[in-house]
Amino acid sequence: LILSLILLSACEIRMAPYWSKLLRTQTDSSYYQSKSAILTKQIVKDIEEYEIDRITIIDFVDEENRISILGEYLSSRVVEAFTGRSLFQDRTFRVTQKGEVNAVLKKLQLEHQYLYGKNDLEILGKSLDSQAILTGKITDLGTNLDIHLTLTDVVTGEVISSATQHLTRTKFAVEMLRQQ
């Protein structure tokens, strides 16, 4: 019995770092950064044949087309992933600056949305000198949060690429999704 207890206590000491990783309930910025990188890689994989290098990323919205703190944060992470050299050594993307996007949307009297009509996409593309518009939607599914991105050609209105990632539904993430 004593030998078993000693053995188990030694296992606890060696297993302690693994248990903390397995039982961690909150996420950190590296978690969102990795999810954003995965989404970006999925989108880029599909656009090779289109030769797109100028894109606009619209802040991600929730189910009611509202921009939450989480939507702003994740869209900023995707911008960072598109412009970072760590993901794409052989490819450079020019991403429209967020302030310019917001100014053009206001000037055109358009709201942040997940889906835009073909005419709106064409006008946005010309106004922002962009070849494609990336939009995103965050959905609270109750068990997890889904983030879905869609990259749309501004000339044809055709969906070039889309990607989805599941996010851990933490109390913190849900609160960020609810705050605007």
Side-chain angles (χ1 to χ4, degrees):
L1 179 67
I2 293 174
L3 185 59
S4 300
L5 289 173
I6 292 171
L7 256 165
L8 287 176
S9 66
C11 288
E12 176 60 31
I13 292 170
R14 292 185 54 86
M15 294 298 290
Y18 302 108
W19 286 117
S20 65
K21 287 180 185 176
L22 287 173
L23 300 176
R24 182 172 36 167
T25 58
Q26 295 294 319
T27 53
D28 57 11
S29 63
S30 63
Y31 171 79
Y32 293 111
Q33 184 175 8
S34 69
K35 291 292 188 173
S36 301
I38 292 167
L39 283 164
T40 304
K41 285 180 183 178
Q42 289 173 339
I43 294 289
V44 169
K45 178 181 68 170
D46 293 337
I47 65 173
E48 293 292 330
E49 66 190 70
Y50 287 88
E51 298 181 13
I52 289 175
D53 64 352
R54 293 186 323 260
I55 63 171
T56 295
I57 298 173
I58 307 285
D59 281 334
F60 306 154
V61 297
D62 63 10
E63 298 97 348
E64 297 170 6
N65 282 330
R66 294 178 302 186
I67 303 169
S68 65
I69 293 172
L70 184 60
E72 275 188 70
Y73 179 75
L74 288 171
S75 65
S76 295
R77 287 293 193 173
V78 170
V79 167
E80 184 180 296
F82 264 104
T83 57
R85 295 279 182 219
S86 60
L87 285 180
F88 316 110
Q89 273 68 20
D90 59 337
R91 188 112 191 231
T92 303
F93 289 97
R94 291 180 292 181
V95 180
T96 308
Q97 196 265 345
K98 186 188 277 195
E100 186 179 349
V101 173
N102 291 336
V104 167
L105 285 170
K106 187 175 182 179
K107 178 182 168 190
L108 297 173
Q109 298 178 345
L110 292 173
E111 298 293 322
H112 285 83
Q113 298 180 59
Y114 174 60
L115 299 173
Y116 289 95
K118 185 178 177 187
N119 291 338
D120 291 341
L121 284 169
E122 196 169 342
I123 292 168
L124 278 169
K126 285 181 183 174
S127 300
L128 295 166
D129 188 30
S130 185
Q131 296 168 301
I133 306 282
L134 183 77
T135 57
K137 182 177 184 177
I138 304 169
T139 306
D140 186 349
L141 298 174
T143 55
N144 62 318
L145 302 175
D146 265 11
I147 179 168
H148 185 77
L149 304 184
T150 301
L151 185 71
T152 310
D153 186 299
V154 297
V155 175
T156 64
E158 174 182 311
V159 173
I160 297 169
S161 182
S162 66
T164 301
Q165 274 293 301
H166 307 293
L167 304 175
T168 303
R169 188 180 193 275
T170 63
K171 191 166 129 178
F172 182 69
V174 170
E175 187 158 323
M176 284 178 55
L177 182 61
R178 301 292 173 237
Q179 291 184 7
Q180 298 174 18

